[in-house]
Amino acid sequence: MRTALDSTDLSIEERKVFLQKALIKTHDVSNDTLRLRHLSRISLAYKKLRDSLEFRKINSEVLKLSKDSKIYNVQGESHWDLASFLQSYDVLDSAYFHYRLAYKSFGQLPVDSTSRSRRGRMLYNMGRVQDSFKDYLGAEISITSALKIFIDLNDNSRIYNCHNVLGIIANGMNNYDKALEYFEKAGTYLTKIKSSRHNKYLLQNKNNIASTFLRSENYNKAYVAYSELLLTKDLNTKQPKIYSLVLAGKAYALFKNKKNNTEVRFLLDEAIKLNDSLGLLADQARPKQYYAEVLAAQGDTINAISYAKESKNIASSTGNNDRYLEVLKVLTKLDSKNAVTYSDEYYKLSEKIKDEERVIRDKFARIRLETDEVIQKNEVLSRQKQIWIGVAIALLLLGASIFTIILQRINNNKLKFQQKQQESNQEIYNLMLSQQGKFEEGKQLEQKRISEELHDGILGQMLGVRLILSGLNEKDDEASVLQRAELIEKLRESEEEIRTISHELSNASYQKFYNFIVSLEDMINTIGQSSGISCSFTYDDNVDWDDLEGDIKINAYRIVQESLQNCVKHAKCKNVDINFNLEGEYLKLMITDDGVGFDLSKGKRGIGLRNITSRVKKVKGQLDIKTKKNEGTTIVVFLPNNYIQQDNPEDILGSAQRNKSVIST
């Protein structure tokens, strides 16, 4: 196996032959731990040879055997190998999942420097994946946790890497002062790194600082920083990729300082030629965009548009969405004829990216929750295994005894009751068959309804809580970051727990909805206070609100709630008026805001409006939406004026009077 791993004189096929021989011999090893270690090394060797089929096959075998044998170090290494394999193919959500499983596996090992270092490296890898999907909060938590471990272990190289990534995360959040602080902190550890990577880290650190100056539009400092980098000896031959980035960065800083356009074009030409010679297509979009801006400033609009389009095509083909959006903004300014098209493309791409990133962030949260739950369940099952075996034996003996007694009694009474028992059993069986279908159908409908109410109700209230918690964003110290993360993580865990409960519920009270108007007022006031929107609520005192049918009350409540949530999320309004009164034979609910409005004739309706439409249809009501861009929105709903049946007509009047007294207090 060592020959297959280390020899560079053999061809790939020859090395695979040695690996197959090693695999056959490994399966004959009797010691489980030793066999698993050999299999893990063979799996890694296939990964390095880029034989994905054999790697996945052996890796799967190692994972199963190590899990069954509870050999956690091999189990963690196999998850680690699989995660890095998936990451190399850009399957990042699955890579994150296996990094987390590796982290949990290493957590089962005795606590020493090796196991702690491995846990830190898994946290670091998870943070890098989260950063790539702009889950900056999650990435910051993961990298910060890794940093604490590496500081305790005095691992200077990885301490540098953690500070470096924290700086990149801060840049992603446009917190440039914080980014510079992290990069400068990373630079202080460079003197402690004695490995061959020292010079590479040094150049990387200086380039990150210069790039941050450029992003923050501090062009003078950016120009100085890039100029110092270009003085590095043999930079163009030893680190050509960084050299290309420095050329383009210095050119753009010089251009923004409105100095020496001749030198600007020379630097950009050099960067473009270097990228072409090295085949660095992904890095080509940046200098071509800069060139387009320079040409536009010089009045050469035609060539400027041409360079901008080249940059756009490269960004699209390499999946560089950030650069794609930047070039679209440039083209919108340059190409006035197609400005609307570029603007629409920018908006659609921006929304698509946000949606995809939101889905991935939610998936990361689910992965964290699910892996924790699985591990906890496995631990509980392992502890209870012996107990259940004893319980099972006891139950078996008890069952045998009961069976013997029952059998004796049946035999004694068999002749007397046999016919009657058969008739009764047949009757019960027929009744069960006839009722089972209806019972299951009703049960499923009830579960769906309760799930919907939990989702629309409790989770809606939690939105208000999350808005309040977002006030912590004004603080950027480490304690606040960790506190905010813990609180928001708890909210997410609560959301998942509520979803689980909503799927398991089978029966609940639905028809009774006491103090309807008070409940509406409480909900409206809560949303208004948490969002800062001024909410006004008026209603008709002559309506017996609490005696309305449950369907009418609960759907009216949810329509108001969903409308207010849309105001918070999308309308950007300052005032909302809610009016609920009796108009003819119908109840009229009208919700008016002074927000930005929207165009009903364009695009698909959001989930909020679809929920409102669905609820109106449930109660056979009517819905009318009036809105225009920048003119606010008015939602008018007509609901049936249906009351619950009561034996005594005076009960209705009494109920209405009681409610009025409650509201007045």
Side-chain angles (χ1 to χ4, degrees):
M1 183 164 59
R2 183 175 299 277
T3 302
L5 285 170
D6 302 332
S7 177
T8 57
D9 297 330
L10 300 176
S11 67
I12 291 178
E13 292 303 321
E14 289 174 325
R15 294 169 75 178
K16 287 183 179 180
V17 170
F18 279 107
L19 284 175
Q20 283 296 323
K21 292 179 179 179
L23 183 61
I24 293 171
K25 291 183 178 180
T26 297
H27 281 120
D28 294 333
V29 176
S30 58
N31 185 293
D32 291 341
T33 303
L34 187 59
R35 183 171 69 254
L36 277 173
R37 288 190 178 278
H38 288 330
L39 286 173
S40 180
R41 294 186 64 195
I42 292 171
S43 170
L44 181 61
Y46 275 116
K47 176 177 175 289
K48 291 180 178 180
L49 294 178
R50 304 191 67 81
D51 188 336
S52 58
L53 184 62
E54 286 298 322
F55 164 72
R56 293 296 297 269
K57 177 182 175 182
I58 301 174
N59 180 267
S60 178
E61 181 182 358
V62 174
L63 283 175
K64 183 179 183 305
L65 292 174
S66 59
K67 182 178 179 181
D68 293 341
S69 304
K70 295 183 180 180
I71 303 177
Y72 296 112
N73 59 333
V74 178
Q75 185 178 343
E77 289 171 355
S78 296
H79 280 300
W80 186 357
D81 292 342
L82 183 55
S84 62
F85 169 80
L86 292 167
Q87 188 174 12
S88 68
Y89 286 93
D90 287 330
V91 189
L92 298 182
D93 52 346
S94 297
Y96 177 87
F97 174 75
H98 286 285
Y99 278 132
R100 185 163 181 81
L101 288 178
Y103 170 79
K104 293 293 184 181
S105 297
F106 292 139
Q108 300 293 322
L109 298 173
V111 178
D112 56 22
S113 59
T114 301
S115 64
R116 294 187 67 206
S117 176
R118 289 181 173 183
R119 284 168 63 85
R121 290 156 79 179
M122 295 307 100
L123 286 168
Y124 176 81
N125 287 329
M126 286 190 286
R128 292 299 304 271
V129 173
Q130 288 169 296
D131 172 61
S132 66
F133 282 106
K134 299 185 180 180
D135 180 12
Y136 297 127
L137 178 60
E140 193 173 37
I141 293 171
S142 298
I143 298 297
T144 302
S145 300
L147 178 60
K148 290 179 180 178
I149 294 173
F150 296 138
I151 289 175
D152 289 342
L153 298 175
N154 201 27
D155 190 339
N156 294 315
S157 179
R158 293 191 172 92
I159 293 173
Y160 163 81
N161 284 330
C162 286
H163 281 110
N164 185 59
V165 176
L166 287 172
I168 293 171
I169 293 169
N171 261 336
M173 294 188 288
N174 298 325
N175 190 345
Y176 303 117
D177 291 337
K178 197 69 176 178
L180 287 171
E181 181 182 330
Y182 280 126
F183 289 138
E184 289 169 359
K185 186 72 173 178
T188 62
Y189 284 90
L190 289 172
T191 56
K192 304 175 184 179
I193 299 174
K194 305 301 181 182
S195 70
S196 58
R197 295 186 176 183
H198 176 271
N199 292 334
K200 181 180 179 180
Y201 286 157
L202 181 63
L203 292 173
Q204 180 190 61
N205 184 250
K206 289 183 177 180
N207 183 62
N208 285 339
I209 292 173
S211 177
T212 303
F213 284 136
L214 194 66
R215 287 168 62 96
S216 62
E217 299 182 1
N218 192 338
Y219 299 118
N220 286 326
K221 288 187 177 181
Y223 175 76
V224 172
Y226 280 125
S227 297
E228 290 178 357
L229 267 169
L230 285 176
L231 296 176
T232 304
K233 184 179 179 181
D234 298 327
L235 177 63
N236 60 331
T237 56
K238 292 183 178 179
Q239 296 291 339
K241 181 177 175 67
I242 292 180
Y243 180 64
S244 168
L245 296 174
V246 172
L247 287 173
K250 180 181 178 180
Y252 197 64
L254 192 64
F255 165 65
K256 285 296 184 177
N257 280 322
K258 299 180 180 179
K259 297 178 181 179
N260 200 342
N261 283 335
T262 302
E263 184 181 356
V264 170
R265 295 181 66 166
F266 171 77
L267 291 171
L268 290 174
D269 281 330
E270 286 294 307
I272 291 171
K273 290 177 183 177
L274 182 58
N275 288 336
D276 282 336
S277 66
L278 297 174
L280 300 175
L281 180 63
D283 294 337
Q284 199 68 290
R286 181 169 176 251
K288 284 185 179 290
Q289 177 198 328
Y290 292 167
Y291 216 121
E293 294 184 45
V294 172
L295 291 172
Q298 294 176 351
D300 190 354
T301 305
I302 295 176
N303 283 325
I305 293 174
S306 176
Y307 270 95
K309 286 182 177 179
E310 286 182 35
S311 176
K312 171 177 169 288
N313 292 334
I314 293 171
S316 175
S317 64
T318 57
N320 188 345
N321 289 325
D322 290 336
R323 183 62 55 189
Y324 199 148
L325 292 173
E326 288 294 324
V327 177
L328 285 174
K329 287 195 290 188
V330 172
L331 283 168
T332 302
K333 296 177 182 178
L334 293 178
D335 192 351
S336 57
K337 293 182 180 179
N338 298 305
V340 174
T341 301
Y342 292 128
S343 178
D344 288 343
E345 187 177 357
Y346 177 91
Y347 174 78
K348 290 177 181 177
L349 179 59
S350 178
E351 290 300 309
K352 179 182 177 183
I353 293 171
K354 289 178 182 177
D355 289 341
E356 290 176 349
E357 290 169 351
R358 189 181 303 112
V359 169
I360 291 297
R361 287 195 296 270
D362 291 343
K363 193 167 186 179
F364 287 157
R366 287 197 301 273
I367 288 171
R368 288 193 295 270
L369 179 65
E370 289 169 1
T371 52
D372 290 342
E373 287 179 347
V374 168
I375 290 170
Q376 290 173 2
K377 288 179 180 178
N378 288 337
E379 290 175 351
V380 171
L381 289 173
S382 177
R383 289 194 301 267
Q384 294 180 345
K385 186 176 180 180
Q386 296 298 326
I387 297 174
W388 281 116
I389 291 174
V391 171
I393 294 173
L395 288 174
L396 182 62
L397 294 174
L398 179 61
S401 300
I402 293 173
F403 177 77
T404 302
I405 294 171
I406 293 174
L407 183 61
Q408 184 68 35
R409 296 186 65 181
I410 289 174
N411 289 332
N412 292 337
N413 296 283
K414 184 175 181 180
L415 295 176
K416 183 177 178 180
F417 298 106
Q418 185 174 16
Q419 185 176 1
K420 184 178 179 179
Q421 185 179 10
Q422 288 176 348
E423 292 174 354
S424 298
N425 288 341
Q426 186 64 41
E427 184 179 353
I428 293 171
Y429 180 73
N430 292 337
L431 181 61
M432 289 176 61
L433 286 178
S434 64
Q435 295 299 322
Q436 186 66 27
K438 294 181 180 179
F439 174 79
E440 289 297 328
E441 180 181 359
K443 180 180 176 182
Q444 291 173 4
L445 289 173
E446 186 68 359
Q447 287 176 331
K448 179 181 179 182
R449 179 185 63 73
I450 294 174
S451 173
E452 181 182 83
E453 293 306 323
L454 277 175
H455 183 277
D456 291 348
I458 295 175
L459 292 182
Q461 294 172 9
M462 290 179 71
L463 170 64
V465 177
R466 192 177 289 182
L467 286 173
I468 295 173
L469 286 178
S470 65
L472 287 172
N473 286 334
E474 299 297 327
K475 302 178 181 180
D476 60 355
D477 58 285
E478 184 173 346
S480 296
V481 169
L482 293 176
Q483 181 186 5
R484 181 177 67 242
E486 291 171 356
L487 291 173
I488 294 177
E489 184 61 24
K490 287 180 180 179
L491 280 177
R492 289 179 178 167
E493 292 174 356
S494 297
E495 291 172 6
E496 291 301 325
E497 182 178 355
I498 290 168
R499 289 191 179 96
T500 301
I501 293 171
S502 71
H503 288 304
E504 293 176 349
L505 285 171
S506 61
N507 292 290
S509 174
Y510 178 60
Q511 188 67 15
K512 297 295 183 182
F513 197 123
Y514 296 113
N515 296 331
F516 175 54
I517 291 298
V518 174
S519 298
L520 266 179
E521 286 185 324
D522 288 345
M523 179 265 291
I524 292 169
N525 290 337
T526 299
I527 294 179
Q529 291 171 6
S530 64
S531 64
I533 297 174
S534 176
C535 298
S536 171
F537 176 45
T538 58
Y539 60 92
D540 192 338
D541 286 335
N542 296 320
V543 177
D544 299 327
W545 296 103
D546 278 339
D547 290 315
L548 289 171
E549 287 186 352
D551 278 350
I552 303 298
K553 289 187 289 186
I554 195 64
N555 283 291
Y557 183 94
R558 296 304 183 211
I559 289 170
V560 174
Q561 186 180 48
E562 191 66 57
S563 300
L564 289 179
Q565 288 177 12
N566 285 343
C567 291
V568 173
K569 294 178 184 176
H570 309 297
K572 300 180 182 178
C573 63
K574 297 180 179 179
N575 301 285
V576 180
D577 295 326
I578 303 103
N579 182 265
F580 208 171
N581 57 35
L582 183 65
E583 186 169 297
E585 296 181 356
Y586 291 90
L587 294 170
K588 180 180 179 182
L589 172 61
M590 185 164 67
I591 304 161
T592 304
D593 67 67
D594 59 356
V596 298
F598 59 95
D599 191 347
L600 278 171
S601 63
K602 291 185 178 180
K604 296 181 178 179
R605 295 190 179 186
I607 190 171
L609 286 180
R610 292 202 299 272
N611 284 344
I612 292 173
T613 303
S614 172
R615 290 186 178 277
V616 173
K617 288 182 179 179
K618 282 182 182 177
V619 296
K620 299 180 180 179
Q622 299 177 12
L623 173 65
D624 184 24
I625 301 174
K626 300 176 182 178
T627 181
K628 288 184 179 180
K629 284 283 188 177
N630 302 317
E631 294 186 12
T633 301
T634 298
I635 296 176
V636 181
V637 181
F638 288 95
L639 302 170
N641 187 19
N642 297 338
Y643 292 87
I644 60 176
Q645 297 296 323
Q646 301 197 19
D647 295 335
N648 188 352
E650 294 180 357
D651 289 347
I652 298 177
L653 179 60
S655 175
Q657 291 174 344
R658 286 195 302 273
N659 291 335
K660 290 179 182 178
S661 66
V662 171
I663 294 171
S664 64
T665 60

